[in-house]
Amino acid sequence: MFGVINTVSRLDHLDPPQPPKCITMLYVFAETHFDRGINDWLCKYVYDYLGENHDSIRKELMATISTFAITTLWLGPCDIVYIWSVCNCFGLNFELWVAKFFQLEPFATMENAMPEAMSRRIRGVFNAANFWAIVLYNVLSLNSLEFAKLVARRLIIKGFPLSTLSVLFVTYCGVQLIKERERRLALEEEEAEKEKAE
């Protein structure tokens, strides 16, 4: 339905927001958005405004808490929305904390010494686990707390080790495909910009 409305808007020479991002393409909390219009507004006027350049842990924490507080009010305060907001706020900050931790020595030197493909593989392992945290948080918001507990119990406790490791391996492969696609798109955009400059 969004595509039809988007097309009609473009025929009327309007510039509608981009379509929602598919959840299967999300492996990083910083990119979890479905409604790009709301996301763009929140990023511009709350998250980026308070977080500035997002390199300070304190500013990032304040920006994410404020963003998810407004999101909670927007969605309608209830237990599920509170849990969803807290989990996503934690996930977003945890990503920053882990990134800051791995910028410290000796991790930064080790990553710079290894080939780019190996670095992507190691990041893919962490992103696969992160992907399932995003899935569980969104299952919580799309269904119920009981269903999210059922999925987590089946995936982590009852299914361990076979189904847990199988799902993580398949997810890891999917994350690698997504990262490779993003890398190629970035290279194509870079080449297009060079051609425009010439």
Side-chain angles (χ1 to χ4, degrees), residues 100-158:
K100 291 282 185 196
F101 179 74
F102 282 106
Q103 287 174 356
L104 300 173
E105 293 298 329
F107 302 112
T109 307
M110 289 168 48
E111 185 173 14
N112 288 336
M114 68 178 64
E116 183 183 341
M118 181 56 82
S119 174
R120 266 199 325 271
R121 289 183 191 111
I122 292 170
R123 288 176 182 268
V125 170
F126 290 105
N127 288 335
N130 207 21
F131 173 85
W132 277 101
I134 294 169
V135 167
L136 287 175
Y137 298 162
N138 286 306
V139 162
L140 173 70
S141 70
L142 296 173
N143 202 314
S144 67
L145 182 59
E146 291 76 28
F147 186 71
K149 286 180 183 177
L150 175 72
V151 170
R153 196 176 315 116
R154 292 258 171 109
L155 182 66
I156 299 168
I157 298 169
K158 287 187 178 180

Side-chain angles (χ1 to χ4, degrees), residues 32-185:
T32 54
H33 55 275
F34 302 104
D35 185 332
R36 292 187 193 225
I38 295 169
N39 181 70
D40 292 346
W41 184 88
L42 282 169
C43 284
K44 183 176 181 180
Y45 294 109
V46 182
Y47 185 66
D48 290 339
Y49 179 77
L50 294 174
E52 294 173 359
N53 54 2
H54 302 286
D55 61 350
S56 165
I57 290 177
R58 188 178 60 79
K59 286 182 181 178
E60 181 73 11
L61 185 61
M62 192 61 166
T64 53
I65 289 172
S66 300
T67 301
F68 281 105
I70 291 170
T71 305
T72 300
L73 291 174
W74 178 267
L75 295 173
C78 66
D79 291 344
I80 294 295
V81 174
Y82 292 142
I83 295 169
W84 175 84
S85 290
V86 167
C87 290
N88 278 286
C89 186
F90 171 76
L92 194 58
N93 281 289
F94 188 70
E95 282 178 357
L96 176 70
W97 301 335
V98 169
K100 291 282 185 196
F101 179 74
F102 282 106
Q103 287 174 356
L104 300 173
E105 293 298 329
F107 302 112
T109 307
M110 289 168 48
E111 185 173 14
N112 288 336
M114 68 178 64
E116 183 183 341
M118 181 56 82
S119 174
R120 266 199 325 271
R121 289 183 191 111
I122 292 170
R123 288 176 182 268
V125 170
F126 290 105
N127 288 335
N130 207 21
F131 173 85
W132 277 101
I134 294 169
V135 167
L136 287 175
Y137 298 162
N138 286 306
V139 162
L140 173 70
S141 70
L142 296 173
N143 202 314
S144 67
L145 182 59
E146 291 76 28
F147 186 71
K149 286 180 183 177
L150 175 72
V151 170
R153 196 176 315 116
R154 292 258 171 109
L155 182 66
I156 299 168
I157 298 169
K158 287 187 178 180
F160 190 80
L162 186 61
S163 67
T164 305
L165 296 177
S166 301
V167 166
L168 284 174
F169 178 73
V170 169
T171 306
Y172 167 80
C173 293
V175 167
Q176 288 299 325
L177 288 172
I178 294 165
K179 288 179 85 58
E180 182 61 23
R181 180 176 178 267
E182 288 175 349
R183 185 181 74 82
R184 287 186 179 178
L185 287 174

